[in-house]
Amino acid sequence: MDAREIERCINEFGTDIYRFCLKLCMDKADAEDLYQQSFLKALETGQTLDWEQNPKALFFSFAYNLWRSDRRKQARRNKIAPCGNLDDEAEQVLRSEESIEENYFRKELIAEVDQVIGTLPEKIRVPLTLFYFSDCSVEQIAAIIKKPPGTVKSRLFKGRKLIKKRLEESGYER
């Protein structure tokens, strides 16, 4: 893969990859680092992109694998010397046609859902993020996380069920 192919990938689906990185890391600075590392990894591998296949899924795989590797590395480091992150803010995009009150309630619901998603186990959170925020199909998610499609469907179902249950416990109704 050369720099022109990487540039084309960034232009075509870079935003989706960045959004995925942001949802994985839950931190803007870490997401930016992961985003850059994903494209650097693609450049380093020297693979040729087949645009007939889904190159977007390849970059989701790079991002996910780098993120998992970094999490394992952080876990090993935290055993030696624990450290934490102070910045947990995420940007919210709201529709401008809504009234101020609707914007407020929508923003509050989005923040609550983000918090619930953030507390889910990794094995459920990653498929949900890929499916709902990155518009990946079940088959693409299965290829990215290297699990069968049935497992992905099961985790999506469990994730939706857990989110609904936790929102109902918090007082949100449909």
Side-chain angles (χ1 to χ4, degrees):
M1 205 174 311
D2 64 359
R4 286 191 178 134
E5 283 182 313
I6 296 290
E7 186 176 350
R8 181 177 172 196
C9 292
I10 291 171
N11 290 335
E12 290 198 21
F13 46 80
T15 305
D16 294 333
I17 303 298
Y18 178 73
R19 192 176 312 125
F20 176 62
C21 292
L22 195 58
K23 289 293 179 182
L24 279 179
C25 296
M26 306 283 273
D27 179 66
K28 190 175 180 180
D30 291 341
E32 289 171 357
D33 289 343
L34 179 60
Y35 176 77
Q36 290 175 2
Q37 288 173 357
S38 300
F39 284 99
L40 282 174
K41 179 80 170 177
L43 195 58
E44 289 171 355
T45 60
Q47 292 179 338
T48 56
L49 275 183
D50 182 8
W51 289 90
E52 298 301 317
Q53 299 295 319
N54 187 2
K56 186 176 173 181
L58 177 68
F59 285 92
F60 280 127
S61 294
F62 285 146
Y64 177 68
N65 291 333
L66 287 167
W67 175 75
R68 282 187 59 203
S69 175
D70 189 54
R71 294 251 335 238
R72 284 191 297 265
K73 188 186 307 178
Q74 289 301 325
R76 285 191 303 268
R77 288 181 182 170
N78 281 339
K79 285 181 182 177
I80 298 168
C83 63
N85 236 349
L86 299 177
D87 184 23
D88 289 327
E89 278 188 346
E91 295 180 21
Q92 304 296 329
V93 178
L94 300 172
R95 293 186 219 138
S96 60
E97 309 94 48
E98 296 176 335
S99 72
I100 294 173
E101 185 176 293
E102 288 172 340
N103 276 345
Y104 176 78
F105 288 125
R106 182 170 177 79
K107 186 176 182 179
E108 191 175 279
L109 178 61
I110 289 170
E112 183 72 22
V113 169
D114 273 349
Q115 182 200 10
V116 170
I117 289 172
T119 62
L120 293 175
E122 175 188 330
K123 69 180 191 176
I124 293 176
R125 185 177 70 237
V126 171
L128 281 171
T129 302
L130 284 169
F131 189 78
Y132 289 105
F133 297 108
S134 301
D135 296 324
C136 288
S137 69
V138 171
E139 291 77 22
Q140 291 171 334
I141 297 169
I144 291 168
I145 65 172
K146 296 177 180 81
K147 297 287 181 193
T151 302
V152 172
K153 289 177 186 178
S154 172
R155 290 179 182 179
L156 288 171
F157 176 77
K158 286 176 187 173
R160 286 189 293 263
K161 198 166 141 181
L162 281 170
I163 291 170
K164 181 180 177 185
K165 179 183 174 191
R166 291 185 186 173
L167 286 176
E168 286 173 351
E169 288 172 356
S170 298
Y172 286 95
E173 294 182 17
R174 250 182 149 181

